[in-house]
Amino acid sequence: MNQRRKIVLIASVAAILMIAVGMNRYYDADRQLDRGWTGLVESIESRSAFGVNRLLAPDYTDCWGYDKDSLGKDLWRIFYPFESIGLTPHEVLVAREGDMATISAKFTMVSTGSGLGADAQNQVNRLTEPFVIQWRRDSSFPWSWKITRIDQPEFDAKRYQRRRSASPLGF
């Protein structure tokens, strides 16, 4: 084999090994979970109903009575009073076992907006218990970690539920 072919062969093998190592790191379960967690916080901060909804598992439930469909329909309304949202997670605890994980965290919230947005900020900042978010990984893709449940016993979400009108005309 001539010298040039050896160099090309060695460079090709080295490139393949580097790609394999990079892919292994990219698909690491802990890294994927961290990306999902970061994506959740960023979606809330950007007030993206679609961003949050895409992280919810089909069997999502929470302590406020939402499922994936009902929360997906209400997220736009939940984000509406806010002009901006800033979340700072603290006391974050991550427990992962195989394809299941739980992340608990307290949040400090800074927001601008009106009405219920200011009330929600005050309520979040006074919570003493953390939000507990349960995740499940359905496949090996980076976007495969989905939220199956959120719990926070102190947060009163009933304050922000849609007011249903008794009138059939919606008045």
Side-chain angles (χ1 to χ4, degrees), residues 62-113:
D62 61 36
C63 62
W64 306 290
Y66 279 108
D67 60 20
K68 179 179 172 121
D69 291 335
S70 61
L71 183 57
K73 291 175 184 172
D74 274 358
L75 279 171
W76 67 270
R77 184 188 54 77
I78 291 167
F79 289 141
Y80 182 79
F82 296 97
E83 291 177 14
S84 68
I85 300 173
L87 292 176
T88 304
H90 52 94
E91 297 182 35
V92 179
L93 297 173
V94 179
R96 186 180 74 80
E97 191 169 316
D99 290 340
M100 303 296 287
T102 301
I103 298 177
S104 66
K106 294 180 180 179
F107 290 93
T108 302
M109 181 176 173
V110 176
S111 66
T112 59

Side-chain angles (χ1 to χ4, degrees), residues 155-166:
F155 188 78
D156 182 11
K158 289 184 171 103
R159 293 179 177 185
Y160 315 110
Q161 288 182 340
R162 181 182 323 193
R163 305 255 188 257
R164 306 240 189 249
S165 173

Side-chain angles (χ1 to χ4, degrees), residues 100-143:
M100 303 296 287
T102 301
I103 298 177
S104 66
K106 294 180 180 179
F107 290 93
T108 302
M109 181 176 173
V110 176
S111 66
T112 59
S114 60
L116 295 177
D119 182 61
Q121 174 184 311
N122 291 334
Q123 190 180 177
V124 167
N125 290 338
R126 284 193 304 255
L127 297 173
T128 59
E129 296 293 319
F131 284 85
V132 178
I133 305 162
Q134 296 174 1
W135 298 77
R136 179 181 63 231
R137 186 170 71 158
D138 292 329
S139 69
S140 62
F141 294 111
W143 54 86

Side-chain angles (χ1 to χ4, degrees), residues 24 27 60 77 89 118 161 171:
N24 189 37
Y27 287 107
Y60 170 83
R77 184 188 54 77
Q161 288 182 340
F171 300 118

